[in-house]
Amino acid sequence: MDDVQRLIKRHQSIGKISTAFIYGILVSVAMNFFWTPGHIYSSGITGLAQLVTTLTERHLAFTISTALGLFLLNVPLFILAWRKISHQFAVYTMITVFMASLMIKMLHPVHLTTDPIVCAIFGGAVNGFGTGLALRNGISTGGLDILGIVIRRKTGRSIGTINMMFNALIIIAAGFMYGWPYAFYSAIGLVVNARVMDMTYTRQQLMQVMIITDRPKTVIDSIQNHIRRGITIVHDAEGAYHHDNKTILFTVISQYEMNDLEEAMDEADNHAFVSISELYKVLGHFYEPKL
């Protein structure tokens, strides 16, 4: 049993490191093929690293590259993650950011186009896919992700407001550095980045599930074997057509768990009526896997 667990952990580690490498390639493509040629700023710490590069190029005798700046700016956040989240999370985050910095440095810019709208859209899409892929595989890309997790654990609140304020400063900086049209282009890139990331990373997209079945125990056992979720049971429901007894089950899952739910229902009761709808917000405890 211990050998099996070690094998699983090793497989998971290889998967996460491989994902970190893929993320590094994708963010370097976004940076060197689109953002840099188009004078577009990214969001979060990556955008701040770009800003540091621009400022040092223009006002200092030396230049701090975006690759180096990205890693150095994340160092305090690595320490925060090590102390407040978990050692494993901090290590994988460090590997991911190092891969991104290395790939940005190694992959030389290719000027496919300098059209700022094209660069904003495609750069945002490529980076959003890379970030979503990393999050989906249980690794963080550093930056404000770490701060968001710490704040959420301490206060129960998201980092949304801080994130928006930080990115607003990046957009304003783009306006001062390259002209106000470029602030608008950078804002377009941020929106595209967020949308593609949401499409790729579905773990935080919550769904309410209502199941009407005449085999409640079998369904509950099957779901809880596939997914770690609580289920609320409503007994003595009645079908209007045949007037037979039914049980209604309610649960909340993430969209990431949708395939597991479908497998559980196929195994337990493929004749059950299942209704699934998107949720705007959940109050109270909702289990999230540890990072």
Side-chain angles (χ1 to χ4, degrees):
M1 190 66 179
D2 290 339
D3 290 339
V4 173
Q5 289 179 342
R6 278 197 295 269
L7 187 63
I8 291 171
K9 286 183 178 179
R10 186 181 303 169
H11 177 73
Q12 290 173 340
S13 296
I14 293 171
K16 288 181 178 181
I17 292 171
S18 300
T19 302
F21 178 70
I22 293 169
Y23 167 76
I25 292 173
L26 290 173
V27 75
S28 67
V29 168
M31 180 68 68
N32 294 334
F33 288 24
F34 299 107
W35 288 334
T36 299
H39 301 309
I40 303 300
Y41 281 150
S42 176
S43 60
I45 300 298
T46 306
L48 182 58
Q50 290 176 276
L51 179 59
V52 168
T53 299
T54 305
L55 289 171
T56 54
E57 271 180 346
R58 294 187 180 185
H59 302 292
L60 297 179
F62 61 91
T63 300
I64 298 175
S65 69
T66 302
L68 178 61
L70 178 61
F71 190 82
L72 292 178
L73 290 169
N74 271 286
V75 169
L77 297 170
F78 295 152
I79 296 169
L80 182 65
W82 182 273
R83 292 179 175 177
K84 299 295 185 180
I85 302 177
S86 75
H87 293 178
Q88 179 177 296
F89 177 84
V91 168
Y92 282 122
T93 302
M94 193 181 301
I95 292 170
T96 305
V97 175
F98 174 76
M99 288 290 186
S101 299
L102 182 65
M103 290 297 112
I104 290 171
K105 187 68 176 176
M106 291 179 62
L107 193 64
H108 297 292
V110 176
H111 289 202
L112 300 176
T113 178
T114 56
D115 186 308
I117 294 181
V118 173
C119 289
I121 291 172
F122 281 88
V126 172
N127 186 72
F129 177 73
T131 304
L133 186 67
L135 293 171
R136 184 167 184 164
N137 284 274
I139 59 176
S140 166
T141 58
L144 298 182
D145 292 349
I146 296 170
L147 199 57
I149 292 168
V150 172
I151 290 174
R152 188 172 181 178
R153 287 188 176 182
K154 289 289 184 183
T155 67
R157 298 179 181 179
S158 72
I159 196 178
T161 303
I162 296 173
N163 215 324
M164 285 189 292
M165 290 174 62
F166 193 93
N167 289 332
L169 292 174
I170 297 295
I171 290 170
I172 292 169
F176 277 111
M177 293 297 167
Y178 298 118
W180 293 107
Y182 286 91
F184 174 71
Y185 301 140
S186 293
I188 292 174
L190 296 184
V191 172
V192 172
N193 179 82
R195 293 297 298 168
V196 174
M197 186 172 68
D198 284 344
M199 290 168 59
T200 309
Y201 177 55
T202 57
R203 195 182 293 272
Q204 290 182 333
Q205 297 173 23
L206 303 184
M207 320 291 288
Q208 178 174 280
V209 181
M210 181 183 71
I211 302 167
I212 301 175
T213 179
D214 51 12
R215 303 174 62 188
K217 187 179 186 310
T218 306
V219 171
I220 291 169
D221 289 343
S222 182
I223 290 174
Q224 292 185 332
N225 283 335
H226 284 77
I227 312 169
R228 182 177 173 178
R229 294 291 168 216
I231 298 172
T232 299
I233 307 170
V234 180
H235 293 291
D236 301 325
E238 181 181 342
Y241 189 73
H242 293 294
H243 298 283
D244 47 355
N245 290 328
K246 297 286 185 181
T247 300
I248 302 175
L249 308 176
F250 288 98
T251 189
V252 175
I253 65 171
S254 67
Q255 190 169 332
Y256 182 77
E257 298 165 325
M258 188 73 73
N259 289 337
D260 292 329
L261 176 71
E262 291 176 359
E263 287 180 10
M265 292 308 304
D266 285 340
E267 292 174 9
D269 184 1
N270 54 13
H271 296 293
F273 178 82
V274 182
S275 173
I276 302 171
S277 56
E278 291 186 9
L279 275 179
Y280 173 69
K281 191 174 185 179
V282 170
L283 300 177
H285 179 68
F286 180 77
Y287 169 76
E288 295 183 28
K290 289 185 179 180
L291 297 167

